[in-house]
Amino acid sequence: MLNLVIFGAPGSGKGTQSDLLSEKYGLFHISTGDVLREKIKNQTELGKKAEEIISKGQLIPDELMIDILLKVMSDQPEAKGFIFDGFPRTLPQAEALSEMLQKNDNDIAAVIALTVDENELVNRLLKRGEVSGRTDDNLETIQKRLTVYRNQTEPLIGFYKQVGIFHGIDGIGTIDHISGQISAIIEAL
Ligand code: AP5
Ligand code: MG
């Protein structure tokens, strides 16, 4: 099983690159943001709660998020591997993910992080906000998302460096060029 984490700030290109990778390597792409937006669309109880949190740019509580992820994974028993996009975002989530995988003798092969400066992130998200309909793609919420990323998610870089599976790449450039760099990392694993 090949499991990859595509890591990066809001707007860094996680979703874009994960879509390409899942196609190329036949891996199952889990975007926790997409999973939550689907629940919002269906206006489930959980969806209503998530909607409020997401539109404020905050994180869904860890326990809840871990349960959701576990369910998505267990619904895919045939998967050749997973691409985790937007998960983990906190240390407890990172620990839970390793635990879940290790229970079945699996692990994360690589954490691939896309580095993009904040000006570019804001520009990308504002541009997407013109058409995405995402309640969190407005300047105020984008800034909150970036602060949450810096405080709660960025520390995972140190964690994964220590584990020895961290790979950072420049997330600025053409989508194809970035995708090529990610493929090179995967093929060298
Ligand atoms: P989530 O949906 O994960 O959003 P995000 O992390 O803020 O990231 P985005 O989806 O906005 O950006 P992306 O990195 O996928 O970039 P994309 O490829 O779209 O999470 C949303 C919310 O859900 C969170 O704030 C939180 O509330 C909740 N949540 C989710 N997961 C959670 C978790 N684990 N725990 C707790 N809460 C959680 O690209 C962005 C734009 O740039 C696009 O328009 C794209 O076309 C463009 N673009 C992509 N690549 C390039 C390039 N190379 N050059 C120029 N433009 C590019
Ligand atoms: Mg995304």
Side-chain angles (χ1 to χ4, degrees):
M1 211 184 194
L2 177 66
N3 297 303
L4 305 168
V5 172
I6 302 298
F7 188 90
S12 58
K14 300 184 295 296
T16 304
Q17 294 299 332
S18 298
D19 278 342
L20 295 172
L21 287 175
S22 76
E23 174 102 356
K24 184 164 177 187
Y25 296 100
L27 305 172
F28 189 84
H29 173 195
I30 304 179
S31 156
T32 42
D34 286 348
V35 172
L36 293 167
R37 282 184 289 276
E38 189 59 30
K39 294 188 188 298
I40 293 174
K41 209 171 84 192
N42 298 329
Q43 284 290 296
T44 61
E45 271 316 298
L46 182 64
K48 288 179 195 161
K49 193 169 163 192
E51 187 165 30
E52 208 183 310
I53 298 173
I54 290 181
S55 59
K56 287 190 197 138
Q58 302 295 332
L59 297 183
I60 300 325
D62 284 334
E63 261 181 60
L64 189 57
M65 203 62 243
I66 290 164
D67 279 352
I68 294 172
L69 184 85
L70 196 62
K71 169 86 173 67
V72 176
M73 287 171 71
S74 60
D75 282 347
Q76 300 300 328
E78 305 294 315
K80 276 169 54 187
F82 293 101
I83 299 174
F84 299 99
D85 155 11
F87 191 102
R89 272 173 140 95
T90 63
L91 197 56
Q93 290 183 15
E95 286 165 347
L97 179 61
S98 290
E99 233 173 77
M100 280 186 250
L101 292 170
Q102 280 161 12
K103 259 188 204 154
N104 298 312
D105 277 331
N106 290 313
D107 220 331
I108 302 165
V111 174
I112 302 172
L114 303 165
T115 307
V116 176
D117 64 80
E118 289 207 0
N119 269 341
E120 170 74 8
L121 293 172
V122 172
N123 288 338
R124 285 185 190 179
L125 293 176
L126 283 177
K127 192 165 155 216
R128 189 181 65 189
E130 292 168 12
V131 292
S132 69
R134 271 178 63 163
T135 56
D136 56 351
D137 279 349
N138 59 78
L139 188 56
E140 197 190 340
T141 312
I142 292 168
Q143 275 162 350
K144 283 194 197 144
R145 287 159 68 194
L146 291 174
T147 304
V148 167
Y149 171 77
R150 275 195 302 271
N151 293 339
Q152 301 193 51
T153 306
E154 211 167 42
L156 290 183
I157 293 176
F159 173 79
Y160 283 121
K161 277 185 177 165
Q162 233 171 7
V163 181
I165 54 172
F166 183 85
H167 303 260
I169 60 173
D170 188 356
I172 296 192
T174 66
I175 289 168
D176 277 355
H177 179 70
I178 296 165
S179 165
Q181 285 179 281
I182 298 177
S183 294
I185 292 170
I186 294 172
E187 274 145 40
L189 286 173

